[in-house]
Each structure stands twice: as structure tokens, then as C-alpha cells.
Amino acid sequence: MMPLSALTKPTTDPTLIFEHFRNGYGTELLTVACTDFDIFGKLAKGPKTFTELSGETGLANRAANVLFTALRSMKLIEIDSVGKYTLTPEAREHLVPEEYFEVGGYVGLVAEAPQVRAMAERLKTNKPAENRKEDTGAAFIFRPGLESAMDQSDSARRLTMALAGRAKNVAPYLAEAVDLSGAKTLLDIGGGTGIYAIAFLQKNPHLKAIVWDRAEVLKVAGEMAVSYGVANRLELVPGDMFTDPVPSADVMLLSNILHDWDEPECLRLLKRCADDLLDGGRLLVHDVFLDDDLGGPFPIAMYSAALFTLTEGRAYAAEEYRKWLMTVGLKPTAKITPTMVHCGVLEAVR
């Protein structure tokens, strides 16, 4: 039987499917902005800084970033000339309480819907959603003393294969976008099925790769390596990326990893990578990117809400990543190379 190819591209673009799937978060965020946090009533009294508005609403920084970015991407709030949040004309006319053409009450008709109440709770607590009963632990969060679904055989397989659905579409584009012809070893951190590493291996016959993830997840990656005919060049290393020694490599890949974590954890993980990256090595941040002014775009703002709901992270801007990369001693490039389904890759060199 011929090995599978991770370099075969889909004939159609699945991006629209992901947008439809995530757009429901817009309803939830707009509703709680009207009903739970009175964003439009507060801004009707005058422009406010991020600190002032988050303080008045009681939102932590991560929660405030997700909500305010979403509302900006909806063109309901904007930043004025002195850097303060203010209402757009549409929001001032239609979302300020008691205005003649106000429709906030209409939006509020779904305020008691379970998913809206759940979003309000997530924003107020700044914590991910509780796990579903069929899971045996947190899906994307690894904390000492916290049971993880990725450490349980059945749930690890189900979640890993679910995430692979998007990765299979994106992997051929990532392998094409990044030249690894001069690299020796690629470390795929939190690599799941290893499909990104596999695509790079098939693109570069000289390359070796390491997938570093939880032990139960790597059982799936091992099966994938065999199916794609690269098992002899793909090493599977179980471990915790925040505590265990970082495997040695001249290229490290963080593909859709950092968006699962809040800023301190992102900086901590990048510091670990930078400290162990070989001299002259490259770090690849493959992720979605908000605009540098955190005003959108709308599809990424909706994805950020999804990440906020399920993980301890959110979507970040390229400028945020560049600041962190420079802080840990790496030199980020100015260019982001697009791949697929809103993703792109930002490179940094040690």
C-alpha cells in the first residue's frame, strides 16, 4: 500500500466553513456587551481608555481584549485620536440604552440563552468553559493537579484526530511556505498527530523531525508516521513543554500552540525555546494573527472568542508576538507568510 501524502492540497478552500462555525460567538459577545456589561451605555458617557473601560466592567485583561476586539471588528466601537474607546455612529444611534432607535432590547431577547450565559460567565471569571461530561479532563490545558483529556487514551485520540481535520488542510501550505532545505532537525512542539512535521519530512527528504507532545497523543502520531511512510525519520518524544527538557533542533515549530495560553505562559514557552534553540536556528510561529491595532479582522476576532472559551489564551497580533520574541533574544522577521484557514507563519532567528 502506497504511503499517504501530506503534501496534497485540498481542491477547495475550507476557510468559509470555519468562519460559519465561529461566527456564532459574535451573537454571544454582542449580547453580553449590551446586557451584562453595558458597554454602549458606559461609552455614551464619554471616551474611555482600555484600563478605564475594563475596570468599569470588571474584566481581566484577556477577557477585555477578546470582547473589545470583537466589538471593534463589528464596527461598533473604535479608537479615537487620543487612543480611547468611543462609539461608532451606528452604535451611538442603535445600541445606547433609551435612544429612540435603540435595538439593544431586541438583542437582549437571547440574553438567557445557555450559550450567552456561558459566555458571560467565561468573561466574568476569565476562565475556560467547564469540560463536557464525556471528556475525562481539560482538553487543551495542562496544569499540575489538573486532569487532562490529552492524558486519557480515548479522549486524547478523539480530540487529536478532531484537530487533525484542519491541520491536514493546512499542512501542505505550511510545508510549501517555509524553506527547510538547509535544516537538519525540526522540533514540532505540541505537534499532535505530527501532520505538520510529516509534511515537512515529505517535502524535505534529508530532514529529520521530532514531535513533542503528551504520551497518549503520540500514539496517534506514531500511527500517522507509519501511514505516511516517514516513521524512520520521525522521533516521538513524550513530555510537558513547560517543564521537561526541550529536545535539540535547529528549527522549532509552534503551530497553533501559543494561542492556547495567556501572555505570561506564552513568554515562558518562547523563552524555553529560545534558550535551547541551536545557534543560528529558527523558530516558526504558525498561527492566526489579529491586526496590530487589535481592531480585527472579524473572523480572527471570532476565533479569539472561541479560544477564550475553550483555552486559557486568545488570538494575538503579530506585533505582540514580535515583542515577546525580541524579549527572549530572538530576531523576528517583518513578513508573515500566509498558509491556509486564516493562518500564517512568522519566523524568528536566534
Side-chain angles (χ1 to χ4, degrees), residues 39-60:
I39 297 293
F40 307 105
K42 288 178 170 61
L43 288 179
K45 299 175 183 177
K48 299 181 187 299
T49 64
F50 177 92
T51 300
E52 290 169 341
L53 188 56
S54 59
E56 288 188 20
T57 54
L59 292 171

Side-chain angles (χ1 to χ4, degrees), residues 7-50:
L7 298 177
T8 301
K9 295 179 178 177
T11 57
T12 57
D13 185 347
T15 301
L16 190 62
I17 295 172
F18 286 88
E19 291 183 357
H20 287 317
F21 172 66
R22 295 165 181 160
N23 281 353
Y25 289 100
T27 299
E28 298 169 14
L29 291 167
L30 175 58
T31 303
V32 298
C34 292
T35 60
D36 288 73
F37 301 106
D38 190 28
I39 297 293
F40 307 105
K42 288 178 170 61
L43 288 179
K45 299 175 183 177
K48 299 181 187 299
T49 64
F50 177 92

Side-chain angles (χ1 to χ4, degrees), residues 99-307:
E99 288 294 319
Y100 182 77
F101 290 109
E102 183 252 334
V103 297
Y106 184 92
V107 172
L109 290 173
V110 297
E112 297 306 316
Q115 66 270 26
V116 175
R117 298 317 322 140
M119 176 58 75
E121 179 68 11
R122 301 287 72 76
L123 289 165
K124 290 173 183 177
T125 63
N126 195 35
K127 293 180 180 180
E130 296 295 330
N131 304 303
R132 296 173 298 179
K133 290 182 180 179
E134 63 265 28
D135 287 337
T136 55
F140 309 106
I141 306 163
F142 308 108
R143 295 283 189 199
L146 177 66
E147 189 174 14
S148 171
M150 292 305 197
D151 287 332
Q152 308 300 319
S153 180
D154 291 344
S155 55
R157 177 174 294 275
R158 179 176 59 79
L159 291 166
T160 299
M161 293 306 299
L163 293 172
R166 179 180 61 168
K168 287 178 181 178
N169 283 276
V170 179
Y173 292 90
L174 178 60
E176 182 178 67
V178 180
D179 182 5
L180 293 188
S181 59
K184 295 180 180 179
T185 305
L186 168 71
L187 174 62
D188 189 355
I189 300 169
T193 60
I195 192 67
Y196 292 116
I198 289 169
F200 276 117
L201 289 172
Q202 291 186 334
K203 180 77 171 177
N204 303 275
H206 69 284
L207 187 68
K208 293 184 178 181
I210 301 167
V211 175
W212 189 30
D213 212 318
R214 316 293 282 197
E216 289 296 331
V217 172
L218 292 182
K219 291 179 182 179
V220 182
E223 296 168 8
M224 295 280 281
V226 172
S227 297
Y228 285 84
V230 297
N232 62 325
R233 291 190 288 138
L234 184 62
E235 181 181 359
L236 307 176
V237 178
D240 185 324
M241 62 188 177
F242 285 104
T243 59
D244 290 328
V246 179
S248 179
D250 54 342
V251 180
M252 295 184 182
L253 171 65
L254 287 164
S255 182
N256 296 297
I257 296 297
L258 294 172
H259 66 213
D260 286 347
W261 301 96
D262 206 352
E263 296 184 35
E265 286 76 22
C266 289
L267 194 58
R268 179 182 167 198
L269 182 54
L270 288 172
K271 179 69 164 58
R272 299 197 81 221
C273 293
D275 287 349
D276 286 274
L277 191 63
L278 297 177
D279 289 340
R282 299 151 67 191
L283 179 64
L284 311 176
V285 177
H286 181 238
D287 220 307
V288 298
F289 299 93
L290 288 169
D291 295 337
D292 284 344
D293 68 354
L294 300 181
F298 181 75
I300 309 305
M302 294 301 97
Y303 186 34
S304 188
L307 292 168

Side-chain angles (χ1 to χ4, degrees), residues 78-95:
E78 58 190 0
I79 302 291
D80 66 14
S81 59
V82 295
K84 293 187 175 185
Y85 289 110
T86 188
L87 297 175
T88 63
E90 292 81 4
R92 187 171 297 281
E93 184 172 22
H94 301 294
L95 290 172

Side-chain angles (χ1 to χ4, degrees), residues 285-340:
V285 177
H286 181 238
D287 220 307
V288 298
F289 299 93
L290 288 169
D291 295 337
D292 284 344
D293 68 354
L294 300 181
F298 181 75
I300 309 305
M302 294 301 97
Y303 186 34
S304 188
L307 292 168
F308 175 81
T309 301
L310 297 170
T311 75
E312 294 186 2
R314 63 174 176 88
Y316 297 102
E319 198 55 38
E320 292 179 285
Y321 284 123
R322 290 192 183 98
K323 180 181 69 175
W324 300 337
L325 290 165
M326 289 187 289
T327 297
V328 301
L330 299 179
K331 298 178 182 178
T333 59
K335 180 182 178 182
I336 294 176
T337 304
T339 55
M340 189 62 148

